[in-house]
Every structure is written in C-alpha cells, then in structure tokens.
Coordinates of all heavy atoms in Angstrom, one line a residue:
M1 N 16.5 -12.7 -1.0 CA 15.5 -11.7 -1.3 C 14.2 -12.0 -0.6 O 13.6 -11.1 -0.1 CB 15.4 -11.5 -2.8 CG 14.3 -10.6 -3.2 SD 15.0 -9.1 -3.9 CE 13.5 -8.3 -4.4
P2 N 13.7 -13.2 -0.6 CA 12.4 -13.5 0.0 C 12.3 -13.2 1.5 O 11.3 -12.7 2.0 CB 12.1 -14.9 -0.3 CG 12.9 -15.3 -1.5 CD 14.1 -14.4 -1.4
T3 N 13.5 -13.3 2.2 CA 13.5 -13.0 3.6 C 13.4 -11.5 3.8 O 12.8 -11.1 4.8 CB 14.7 -13.6 4.3 OG1 15.9 -13.1 3.6 CG2 14.8 -15.1 4.2
L4 N 14.0 -10.8 2.9 CA 13.9 -9.3 3.0 C 12.4 -8.9 2.8 O 11.9 -8.0 3.5 CB 14.8 -8.6 2.0 CG 16.3 -8.7 2.2 CD1 17.0 -8.1 1.1 CD2 16.7 -8.1 3.5
V5 N 11.7 -9.5 1.9 CA 10.3 -9.2 1.7 C 9.5 -9.5 2.9 O 8.7 -8.8 3.4 CB 9.8 -9.9 0.4 CG1 8.3 -9.7 0.3 CG2 10.5 -9.4 -0.8
A6 N 9.8 -10.7 3.5 CA 9.0 -11.1 4.7 C 9.4 -10.2 5.9 O 8.5 -9.9 6.6 CB 9.4 -12.6 5.0
D7 N 10.6 -9.8 6.0 CA 11.0 -8.9 7.0 C 10.3 -7.5 6.9 O 9.8 -6.9 7.8 CB 12.5 -8.7 7.1 CG 13.3 -9.9 7.5 OD1 12.6 -10.8 8.2 OD2 14.5 -10.0 7.3
K8 N 10.3 -7.1 5.6 CA 9.6 -5.8 5.4 C 8.1 -5.9 5.7 O 7.6 -4.9 6.2 CB 9.9 -5.4 3.9 CG 9.6 -4.0 3.6 CD 10.1 -3.7 2.2 CE 10.9 -2.4 2.3 NZ 11.4 -1.9 1.1
K9 N 7.5 -7.0 5.3 CA 6.1 -7.2 5.6 C 5.8 -7.1 7.1 O 4.9 -6.4 7.5 CB 5.6 -8.5 5.0 CG 5.2 -8.5 3.6 CD 4.6 -9.8 3.2 CE 4.2 -9.8 1.8 NZ 3.6 -11.1 1.4
T10 N 6.6 -7.9 7.8 CA 6.4 -7.9 9.3 C 6.6 -6.5 9.9 O 5.9 -6.1 10.8 CB 7.3 -8.9 10.0 OG1 8.6 -8.7 9.7 CG2 6.9 -10.3 9.6
K11 N 7.6 -5.8 9.4 CA 7.8 -4.4 9.8 C 6.7 -3.5 9.5 O 6.3 -2.7 10.4 CB 9.1 -3.9 9.2 CG 9.7 -2.7 9.9 CD 11.0 -2.2 9.2 CE 12.1 -3.3 9.3 NZ 13.4 -2.9 8.7
I12 N 6.1 -3.6 8.3 CA 4.9 -2.8 8.0 C 3.7 -3.2 8.9 O 3.0 -2.3 9.4 CB 4.6 -3.0 6.5 CG1 5.6 -2.3 5.6 CG2 3.2 -2.5 6.2 CD1 5.5 -2.6 4.1
F13 N 3.5 -4.5 9.1 CA 2.4 -4.9 9.9 C 2.6 -4.4 11.4 O 1.6 -4.0 12.0 CB 2.1 -6.4 9.9 CG 1.6 -6.8 8.5 CD1 2.1 -7.9 7.9 CD2 0.5 -6.1 7.9 CE1 1.6 -8.4 6.7 CE2 0.0 -6.6 6.7 CZ 0.5 -7.7 6.1
A14 N 3.8 -4.4 11.8 CA 4.1 -4.0 13.2 C 3.8 -2.5 13.3 O 3.3 -2.0 14.4 CB 5.5 -4.4 13.6
E15 N 4.2 -1.7 12.3 CA 4.1 -0.3 12.4 C 2.7 0.2 12.2 O 2.2 1.1 13.0 CB 5.0 0.4 11.3 CG 5.0 1.9 11.4 CD 5.9 2.5 10.3 OE1 6.7 1.8 9.7 OE2 5.8 3.7 10.1
F16 N 2.0 -0.4 11.3 CA 0.7 0.1 10.9 C -0.5 -0.7 11.5 O -1.6 -0.2 11.7 CB 0.5 0.2 9.4 CG 1.3 1.3 8.8 CD1 2.5 0.9 8.2 CD2 1.0 2.6 8.8 CE1 3.3 1.9 7.6 CE2 1.8 3.6 8.2 CZ 3.0 3.2 7.6
G17 N -0.2 -2.0 11.8 CA -1.3 -2.8 12.3 C -1.3 -2.9 13.8 O -2.3 -3.5 14.4
G18 N -0.3 -2.5 14.5 CA -0.2 -2.6 15.9 C 0.7 -3.7 16.3 O 1.5 -3.6 17.2
K19 N 0.5 -4.9 15.8 CA 1.3 -6.1 16.1 C 1.7 -6.7 14.7 O 1.1 -6.4 13.7 CB 0.5 -7.1 16.9 CG 0.1 -6.7 18.3 CD -0.4 -7.8 19.1 CE -1.7 -8.4 18.5 NZ -2.3 -9.4 19.4
E20 N 2.7 -7.5 14.8 CA 3.2 -8.2 13.6 C 2.1 -9.2 13.1 O 2.0 -9.5 11.9 CB 4.5 -9.0 13.8 CG 5.6 -8.1 14.1 CD 6.9 -8.9 14.4 OE1 6.8 -10.1 14.5 OE2 7.9 -8.2 14.7
T21 N 1.3 -9.7 14.0 CA 0.3 -10.7 13.6 C -1.0 -10.1 13.1 O -1.9 -10.8 12.6 CB 0.0 -11.7 14.7 OG1 -0.4 -10.9 15.9 CG2 1.3 -12.5 15.1
N22 N -1.2 -8.8 13.2 CA -2.4 -8.2 12.9 C -2.4 -7.8 11.4 O -2.2 -6.6 11.0 CB -2.6 -6.9 13.7 CG -4.0 -6.3 13.5 OD1 -4.9 -6.9 12.8 ND2 -4.3 -5.2 14.1
T23 N -2.5 -8.8 10.5 CA -2.4 -8.6 9.1 C -3.7 -8.2 8.5 O -3.7 -7.8 7.3 CB -1.9 -9.9 8.4 OG1 -2.8 -10.9 8.6 CG2 -0.5 -10.3 8.9
G24 N -4.7 -8.2 9.2 CA -6.0 -7.9 8.6 C -6.5 -6.4 8.8 O -7.5 -6.0 8.3
S25 N -5.7 -5.6 9.5 CA -6.2 -4.3 9.8 C -6.1 -3.5 8.5 O -5.2 -3.7 7.6 CB -5.3 -3.6 10.8 OG -4.0 -3.3 10.3
I26 N -7.0 -2.6 8.3 CA -7.1 -1.8 7.1 C -5.9 -1.0 6.9 O -5.4 -0.9 5.7 CB -8.4 -0.9 7.1 CG1 -9.7 -1.7 7.2 CG2 -8.5 0.0 5.9 CD1 -9.9 -2.6 6.0
E27 N -5.4 -0.4 7.9 CA -4.2 0.5 7.8 C -3.0 -0.3 7.3 O -2.2 0.2 6.5 CB -3.9 1.1 9.2 CG -4.9 2.2 9.6 CD -6.0 1.5 10.4 OE1 -6.1 0.3 10.6 OE2 -6.9 2.3 10.9
A28 N -2.8 -1.5 7.9 CA -1.7 -2.3 7.5 C -1.8 -2.8 6.0 O -0.8 -2.8 5.3 CB -1.6 -3.6 8.4
Q29 N -3.0 -3.1 5.6 CA -3.3 -3.5 4.2 C -3.0 -2.4 3.2 O -2.3 -2.6 2.2 CB -4.7 -4.0 4.0 CG -5.0 -5.3 4.7 CD -6.5 -5.7 4.5 OE1 -7.1 -5.3 3.5 NE2 -7.0 -6.5 5.4
I30 N -3.4 -1.2 3.6 CA -3.1 0.0 2.8 C -1.6 0.3 2.7 O -1.1 0.6 1.6 CB -3.9 1.2 3.3 CG1 -5.4 1.0 3.1 CG2 -3.5 2.5 2.6 CD1 -6.3 2.0 3.7
A31 N -0.9 0.2 3.8 CA 0.5 0.4 3.8 C 1.2 -0.6 3.0 O 2.2 -0.3 2.2 CB 1.0 0.4 5.3
L32 N 0.8 -1.9 3.0 CA 1.4 -2.9 2.2 C 1.2 -2.7 0.7 O 2.1 -2.8 -0.1 CB 0.9 -4.3 2.6 CG 1.6 -5.5 2.0 CD1 3.0 -5.6 2.4 CD2 0.9 -6.8 2.4
L33 N -0.1 -2.3 0.4 CA -0.3 -2.0 -1.0 C 0.5 -0.8 -1.5 O 1.0 -0.8 -2.6 CB -1.8 -1.7 -1.2 CG -2.8 -2.9 -1.2 CD1 -4.2 -2.4 -1.2 CD2 -2.5 -3.8 -2.4
T34 N 0.7 0.2 -0.6 CA 1.5 1.3 -1.0 C 2.9 0.9 -1.3 O 3.6 1.4 -2.2 CB 1.4 2.4 0.1 OG1 0.1 2.8 0.3 CG2 2.2 3.6 -0.3
E35 N 3.4 0.0 -0.5 CA 4.8 -0.5 -0.7 C 4.9 -1.2 -2.0 O 5.9 -1.0 -2.8 CB 5.2 -1.4 0.5 CG 6.6 -1.9 0.4 CD 7.6 -0.8 0.6 OE1 7.3 0.2 1.4 OE2 8.7 -0.9 0.0
R36 N 3.9 -2.1 -2.3 CA 3.9 -2.8 -3.6 C 3.8 -1.9 -4.8 O 4.4 -2.1 -5.8 CB 2.8 -3.8 -3.6 CG 3.1 -5.0 -2.6 CD 1.9 -6.0 -2.6 NE 1.8 -6.6 -3.9 CZ 0.7 -7.3 -4.3 NH1 -0.3 -7.4 -3.4 NH2 0.6 -7.8 -5.5
I37 N 3.0 -0.8 -4.6 CA 2.8 0.1 -5.7 C 4.1 0.9 -6.0 O 4.5 1.1 -7.1 CB 1.6 1.1 -5.4 CG1 0.3 0.4 -5.5 CG2 1.7 2.3 -6.2 CD1 -0.9 1.2 -4.9
A38 N 4.8 1.3 -4.9 CA 6.1 1.9 -5.1 C 7.1 1.0 -5.8 O 7.8 1.5 -6.7 CB 6.6 2.4 -3.8
H39 N 7.1 -0.2 -5.4 CA 8.0 -1.2 -6.0 C 7.7 -1.4 -7.5 O 8.6 -1.4 -8.4 CB 8.0 -2.5 -5.3 CG 8.9 -3.5 -5.8 ND1 10.3 -3.5 -5.7 CD2 8.7 -4.7 -6.5 CE1 10.8 -4.5 -6.3 NE2 9.9 -5.3 -6.8
I40 N 6.5 -1.6 -7.9 CA 6.1 -1.8 -9.3 C 6.3 -0.5 -10.1 O 6.7 -0.6 -11.2 CB 4.7 -2.3 -9.4 CG1 4.6 -3.7 -8.8 CG2 4.2 -2.3 -10.8 CD1 3.2 -4.2 -8.7
S41 N 6.1 0.7 -9.5 CA 6.3 1.9 -10.2 C 7.8 2.1 -10.5 O 8.1 2.5 -11.6 CB 5.8 3.1 -9.3 OG 4.5 3.1 -9.1
K42 N 8.6 1.7 -9.6 CA 10.1 1.8 -9.9 C 10.5 0.8 -11.0 O 11.3 1.2 -11.9 CB 10.8 1.5 -8.6 CG 12.3 1.8 -8.6 CD 12.9 1.7 -7.3 CE 13.9 0.6 -7.2 NZ 14.5 0.4 -5.9
H43 N 9.9 -0.3 -11.0 CA 10.1 -1.3 -12.1 C 9.7 -0.8 -13.4 O 10.4 -0.9 -14.4 CB 9.4 -2.6 -11.8 CG 9.3 -3.6 -12.9 ND1 10.4 -4.3 -13.3 CD2 8.3 -3.9 -13.8 CE1 10.1 -5.1 -14.4 NE2 8.8 -4.8 -14.6
L44 N 8.5 -0.1 -13.5 CA 8.0 0.4 -14.7 C 8.7 1.6 -15.3 O 8.6 1.9 -16.5 CB 6.5 0.7 -14.6 CG 5.5 -0.5 -14.5 CD1 4.1 -0.1 -14.2 CD2 5.6 -1.3 -15.8
Q45 N 9.4 2.3 -14.4 CA 10.2 3.4 -14.9 C 11.4 2.9 -15.8 O 11.8 3.5 -16.8 CB 10.8 4.2 -13.8 CG 9.7 5.1 -13.1 CD 10.3 5.8 -11.9 OE1 11.4 5.6 -11.5 NE2 9.5 6.7 -11.4
Q46 N 11.9 1.7 -15.5 CA 13.0 1.1 -16.3 C 12.4 0.3 -17.5 O 13.1 0.1 -18.5 CB 13.8 0.2 -15.4 CG 14.5 1.0 -14.3 CD 15.3 0.1 -13.4 OE1 15.1 -1.1 -13.4 NE2 16.1 0.7 -12.5
N47 N 11.2 -0.3 -17.3 CA 10.7 -1.2 -18.3 C 9.3 -0.7 -18.7 O 8.3 -1.1 -18.3 CB 10.5 -2.6 -17.7 CG 11.7 -3.2 -17.2 OD1 12.7 -3.4 -17.9 ND2 11.8 -3.4 -15.9
K48 N 9.4 0.3 -19.6 CA 8.2 1.0 -20.0 C 7.2 0.2 -20.8 O 6.0 0.5 -20.8 CB 8.6 2.2 -20.8 CG 9.4 3.2 -20.0 CD 9.6 4.5 -20.8 CE 10.5 5.5 -20.1 NZ 10.3 5.7 -18.7
K49 N 7.6 -0.9 -21.4 CA 6.7 -1.7 -22.3 C 6.2 -2.9 -21.5 O 5.6 -3.8 -22.2 CB 7.4 -2.1 -23.6 CG 7.7 -0.9 -24.4 CD 8.1 -1.3 -25.8 CE 8.3 0.0 -26.7 NZ 8.7 -0.4 -28.0
D50 N 6.4 -3.0 -20.3 CA 5.8 -4.1 -19.5 C 4.4 -3.9 -19.1 O 4.0 -3.4 -18.1 CB 6.7 -4.3 -18.2 CG 6.4 -5.6 -17.5 OD1 5.4 -6.3 -17.9 OD2 7.0 -5.8 -16.5
F51 N 3.5 -4.2 -20.1 CA 2.1 -3.9 -19.9 C 1.4 -4.7 -18.9 O 0.4 -4.2 -18.3 CB 1.4 -4.0 -21.3 CG 2.0 -3.0 -22.3 CD1 2.7 -3.5 -23.4 CD2 2.0 -1.7 -22.2 CE1 3.2 -2.7 -24.4 CE2 2.5 -0.8 -23.1 CZ 3.2 -1.3 -24.2
S52 N 1.8 -5.9 -18.7 CA 1.1 -6.7 -17.7 C 1.4 -6.2 -16.3 O 0.5 -6.2 -15.4 CB 1.6 -8.2 -17.8 OG 3.0 -8.3 -17.6
S53 N 2.6 -5.7 -16.0 CA 2.9 -5.1 -14.7 C 2.1 -3.8 -14.6 O 1.7 -3.4 -13.5 CB 4.4 -4.8 -14.6 OG 5.1 -6.0 -14.5
N54 N 1.9 -3.1 -15.7 CA 1.2 -1.8 -15.7 C -0.3 -2.1 -15.3 O -0.9 -1.4 -14.5 CB 1.2 -1.1 -17.0 CG 0.7 0.3 -17.0 OD1 0.6 0.9 -15.9 ND2 0.3 0.8 -18.1
R55 N -0.8 -3.2 -15.8 CA -2.2 -3.5 -15.5 C -2.3 -3.9 -14.0 O -3.3 -3.6 -13.3 CB -2.7 -4.7 -16.3 CG -4.1 -5.1 -16.1 CD -4.6 -6.2 -17.1 NE -6.0 -6.4 -16.9 CZ -6.5 -7.3 -16.0 NH1 -5.7 -8.0 -15.2 NH2 -7.8 -7.5 -15.9
G56 N -1.3 -4.7 -13.5 CA -1.3 -5.1 -12.1 C -1.2 -3.8 -11.2 O -1.8 -3.8 -10.1
L57 N -0.4 -2.9 -11.6 CA -0.3 -1.6 -10.9 C -1.6 -0.9 -10.8 O -2.0 -0.4 -9.7 CB 0.8 -0.7 -11.5 CG 0.9 0.7 -10.9 CD1 1.5 0.6 -9.5 CD2 1.8 1.6 -11.8
L58 N -2.3 -0.8 -11.9 CA -3.6 -0.2 -11.9 C -4.6 -0.9 -11.0 O -5.4 -0.3 -10.3 CB -4.2 0.0 -13.3 CG -3.4 0.9 -14.2 CD1 -4.0 0.8 -15.6 CD2 -3.4 2.3 -13.7
Q59 N -4.6 -2.2 -11.0 CA -5.4 -3.0 -10.1 C -5.1 -2.7 -8.6 O -6.0 -2.5 -7.8 CB -5.3 -4.5 -10.3 CG -6.0 -4.9 -11.7 CD -5.7 -6.3 -11.9 OE1 -4.8 -7.0 -11.5 NE2 -6.7 -6.9 -12.7
L60 N -3.8 -2.6 -8.3 CA -3.4 -2.3 -6.9 C -3.8 -0.9 -6.5 O -4.3 -0.7 -5.3 CB -1.9 -2.5 -6.7 CG -1.3 -3.9 -6.8 CD1 0.2 -3.9 -6.7 CD2 -1.9 -4.7 -5.7
V61 N -3.7 0.0 -7.4 CA -4.1 1.4 -7.1 C -5.6 1.4 -6.8 O -6.1 2.1 -5.9 CB -3.7 2.4 -8.2 CG1 -4.4 3.7 -8.0 CG2 -2.2 2.5 -8.2
G62 N -6.4 0.7 -7.6 CA -7.9 0.7 -7.4 C -8.2 0.0 -6.1 O -9.2 0.5 -5.4
E63 N -7.5 -1.1 -5.8 CA -7.8 -1.7 -4.5 C -7.5 -0.8 -3.3 O -8.2 -0.7 -2.3 CB -7.0 -3.0 -4.4 CG -7.3 -3.9 -3.2 CD -6.5 -5.2 -3.3 OE1 -6.0 -5.5 -4.3 OE2 -6.5 -5.9 -2.2
R64 N -6.3 -0.1 -3.4 CA -6.0 0.8 -2.3 C -7.0 1.9 -2.2 O -7.3 2.3 -1.1 CB -4.6 1.4 -2.6 CG -4.1 2.3 -1.5 CD -2.7 2.8 -1.7 NE -2.7 3.8 -2.8 CZ -1.6 4.4 -3.2 NH1 -0.5 4.2 -2.7 NH2 -1.7 5.3 -4.2
K65 N -7.5 2.4 -3.3 CA -8.4 3.5 -3.3 C -9.7 3.0 -2.6 O -10.3 3.8 -1.8 CB -8.7 3.9 -4.7 CG -9.7 5.1 -4.8 CD -10.0 5.5 -6.2 CE -11.1 6.6 -6.3 NZ -11.5 6.9 -7.6
S66 N -10.2 1.8 -2.9 CA -11.4 1.3 -2.3 C -11.2 1.2 -0.8 O -12.1 1.5 0.0 CB -11.9 0.1 -2.9 OG -11.0 -1.0 -2.7
L67 N -10.0 0.7 -0.4 CA -9.7 0.5 1.1 C -9.7 1.9 1.8 O -10.1 2.1 2.9 CB -8.5 -0.2 1.3 CG -8.5 -1.7 1.0 CD1 -7.1 -2.4 1.1 CD2 -9.5 -2.4 2.0
L68 N -9.1 2.9 1.1 CA -9.0 4.2 1.6 C -10.4 4.8 1.8 O -10.7 5.5 2.7 CB -8.1 5.1 0.8 CG -6.6 4.9 1.0 CD1 -5.9 5.7 -0.1 CD2 -6.2 5.4 2.3
T69 N -11.3 4.6 0.8 CA -12.6 5.1 0.9 C -13.4 4.5 2.0 O -14.1 5.2 2.8 CB -13.4 4.8 -0.5 OG1 -12.7 5.3 -1.5 CG2 -14.8 5.3 -0.4
Y70 N -13.2 3.2 2.2 CA -13.8 2.5 3.4 C -13.3 3.1 4.7 O -14.1 3.3 5.6 CB -13.5 1.0 3.3 CG -14.0 0.2 4.5 CD1 -15.3 -0.2 4.6 CD2 -13.1 0.0 5.6 CE1 -15.7 -0.9 5.8 CE2 -13.5 -0.7 6.7 CZ -14.8 -1.1 6.8 OH -15.2 -1.8 7.9
L71 N -12.0 3.3 4.8 CA -11.5 3.8 6.0 C -11.9 5.2 6.3 O -12.2 5.6 7.4 CB -9.9 3.8 5.9 CG -9.2 4.2 7.2 CD1 -9.5 3.3 8.3 CD2 -7.7 4.3 6.9
S72 N -12.1 6.0 5.2 CA -12.5 7.4 5.4 C -14.0 7.5 5.9 O -14.4 8.4 6.6 CB -12.3 8.2 4.1 OG -13.3 7.8 3.1
K73 N -14.8 6.5 5.5 CA -16.2 6.5 5.9 C -16.3 6.0 7.3 O -17.3 6.4 8.0 CB -17.0 5.6 5.0 CG -17.2 6.2 3.6 CD -18.0 5.3 2.7 CE -18.2 6.0 1.3 NZ -19.0 5.1 0.4
H74 N -15.5 5.1 7.8 CA -15.6 4.5 9.1 C -14.7 5.0 10.1 O -15.1 4.9 11.3 CB -15.4 3.0 9.0 CG -16.5 2.3 8.2 ND1 -16.6 2.2 6.9 CD2 -17.6 1.6 8.7 CE1 -17.7 1.5 6.5 NE2 -18.3 1.2 7.6
N75 N -13.6 5.6 9.8 CA -12.7 6.2 10.8 C -11.9 7.3 10.1 O -10.8 7.2 9.6 CB -11.7 5.1 11.2 CG -10.8 5.5 12.3 OD1 -10.9 6.6 12.8 ND2 -9.8 4.7 12.7
L76 N -12.6 8.5 10.2 CA -12.0 9.7 9.5 C -10.7 10.1 10.1 O -9.7 10.4 9.3 CB -13.0 10.8 9.5 CG -12.6 12.0 8.6 CD1 -12.5 11.7 7.2 CD2 -13.7 13.1 8.8
Q77 N -10.6 10.1 11.4 CA -9.3 10.5 12.0 C -8.2 9.5 11.7 O -7.1 9.9 11.4 CB -9.5 10.6 13.5 CG -8.3 11.1 14.3 CD -7.9 12.5 13.9 OE1 -8.8 13.3 13.5 NE2 -6.6 12.8 14.0
G78 N -8.5 8.2 11.7 CA -7.5 7.2 11.3 C -7.1 7.4 9.8 O -5.9 7.2 9.5
Y79 N -8.0 7.7 9.0 CA -7.7 8.0 7.6 C -6.8 9.1 7.4 O -5.8 9.1 6.7 CB -9.1 8.2 6.8 CG -8.9 8.8 5.5 CD1 -8.6 8.0 4.4 CD2 -9.1 10.1 5.2 CE1 -8.5 8.5 3.1 CE2 -9.0 10.7 3.9 CZ -8.7 9.8 2.9 OH -8.6 10.3 1.6
R80 N -7.0 10.2 8.1 CA -6.2 11.4 8.0 C -4.8 11.1 8.5 O -3.8 11.6 7.9 CB -6.8 12.6 8.7 CG -8.0 13.1 8.0 CD -8.7 14.2 8.8 NE -9.8 14.8 8.1 CZ -10.8 15.4 8.6 NH1 -10.8 15.7 9.9 NH2 -11.8 15.9 7.9
E81 N -4.7 10.4 9.6 CA -3.4 10.1 10.1 C -2.6 9.2 9.2 O -1.4 9.3 9.0 CB -3.5 9.4 11.5 CG -4.0 10.3 12.6 CD -4.3 9.5 13.9 OE1 -4.1 8.3 13.9 OE2 -4.7 10.2 14.8
L82 N -3.3 8.2 8.6 CA -2.6 7.3 7.7 C -2.1 8.0 6.4 O -1.0 7.7 6.0 CB -3.6 6.1 7.3 CG -3.0 5.0 6.4 CD1 -1.9 4.3 7.2 CD2 -4.1 4.1 5.9
I83 N -2.9 8.8 5.8 CA -2.5 9.5 4.6 C -1.3 10.4 4.9 O -0.4 10.6 4.0 CB -3.6 10.2 3.8 CG1 -4.3 11.2 4.6 CG2 -4.6 9.2 3.3 CD1 -5.2 12.1 3.8
E84 N -1.3 11.0 6.1 CA -0.2 11.9 6.4 C 1.1 11.0 6.6 O 2.2 11.4 6.2 CB -0.5 12.6 7.7 CG 0.5 13.6 8.1 CD 0.1 14.4 9.3 OE1 -1.1 14.7 9.5 OE2 1.0 14.7 10.1
K85 N 0.9 9.9 7.3 CA 2.1 9.0 7.6 C 2.7 8.4 6.3 O 3.9 8.3 6.2 CB 1.6 7.9 8.5 CG 2.8 7.2 9.2 CD 2.2 6.0 10.1 CE 2.2 6.4 11.5 NZ 1.9 5.3 12.4
L86 N 1.8 8.0 5.4 CA 2.3 7.5 4.1 C 2.6 8.5 3.1 O 3.3 8.2 2.1 CB 1.2 6.5 3.5 CG 0.9 5.2 4.3 CD1 -0.2 4.5 3.7 CD2 2.1 4.4 4.4
G87 N 2.2 9.7 3.3 CA 2.5 10.8 2.3 C 1.7 10.6 1.0 O 2.3 10.8 -0.1
L88 N 0.5 10.2 1.0 CA -0.3 9.9 -0.2 C -0.9 11.2 -0.8 O -0.9 11.3 -2.0 CB -1.4 8.9 0.1 CG -1.0 7.5 0.5 CD1 -2.2 6.6 0.8 CD2 -0.1 6.9 -0.6
R89 N -1.4 12.0 0.0 CA -2.0 13.2 -0.6 C -1.1 14.4 -0.4 O -0.4 14.5 0.6 CB -3.4 13.5 0.1 CG -4.3 12.4 0.2 CD -5.1 12.3 -1.1 NE -6.2 11.3 -1.1 CZ -6.0 10.0 -1.5 NH1 -4.9 9.6 -2.0 NH2 -7.0 9.2 -1.4
K90 N -1.2 15.4 -1.3 CA -0.4 16.6 -1.2 C -1.1 17.7 -0.6 O -2.3 17.9 -0.7 CB 0.1 17.0 -2.6 CG 0.9 15.9 -3.3 CD 2.3 15.7 -2.6 CE 3.0 14.6 -3.3 NZ 4.0 14.0 -2.7

C-alpha cells in the first residue's frame, strides 16, 4: 500500500506541478490535499464516530481553503483552471 501512495503522489505532482520533483507548487499542494480530503471523507462515511479523523479533515479543508485563496489573489487564471480540473466548485 505505501508504494501505491507514493506512486499516486508522484502522479499528482507530475500532473499538477509540471514535474514529479516540483512538490512545492501551489497547484500540486492543493491537488494532494484534495486527494487526502477525498480519502478521509470516504473513511468517515463508514466510521461516523471517528472524531479525530473528522478534526483532521476539517484542518485539511481549512488549509486547502487558504491555499486556494492565495492562488486566487496571485494567479486568477490558474485558480480557475485548477478548480475546474479538480471539480471543486459547482
């Protein structure tokens, strides 16, 4: 399982960051947080009383929100492309 996670991370960084080694780009960080949020949300659907995971989920959502706010202020076109690619806004 850890190799699948590492493979998935490198795939996300390659798709959103430009290269596999570009782990610091805002787009790649947001995409990685979105993947983690989806994974924890799926876990919480089965384990409704897992409150520590729920708190972690809320922290990740807040962190993603702040990164999206930063991106929208500094690169509006990139922000719009990213939310469309990730399907965040309806």
Side-chain angles (χ1 to χ4, degrees):
M1 173 114 177
T3 57
L4 292 175
V5 173
D7 291 341
K8 195 170 232 183
K9 278 185 180 181
T10 56
K11 199 179 293 184
I12 289 172
F13 289 136
E15 183 179 349
F16 292 98
K19 294 191 295 187
E20 294 176 359
T21 58
N22 190 6
T23 59
S25 73
I26 298 295
E27 293 87 358
Q29 289 180 25
I30 292 170
L32 186 63
L33 284 173
T34 302
E35 184 67 32
R36 289 178 63 194
I37 287 170
H39 179 71
I40 293 174
S41 295
K42 192 168 117 179
H43 166 77
L44 285 174
Q45 287 176 352
Q46 297 173 352
N47 304 294
K48 297 190 185 313
K49 294 189 177 184
D50 189 357
F51 299 115
S52 60
S53 292
N54 191 20
R55 182 175 186 274
L57 175 69
L58 293 175
Q59 288 177 333
L60 289 176
V61 169
E63 187 177 346
R64 182 179 71 179
K65 182 181 177 187
S66 66
L67 287 174
L68 282 170
T69 303
Y70 173 84
L71 185 63
S72 70
K73 288 181 181 178
H74 289 83
N75 184 4
L76 187 60
Q77 184 62 29
Y79 167 79
R80 289 180 179 158
E81 291 173 2
L82 183 67
I83 60 171
E84 183 179 325
K85 195 183 258 189
L86 291 175
L88 294 179
R89 307 277 188 266
K90 302 290 180 198

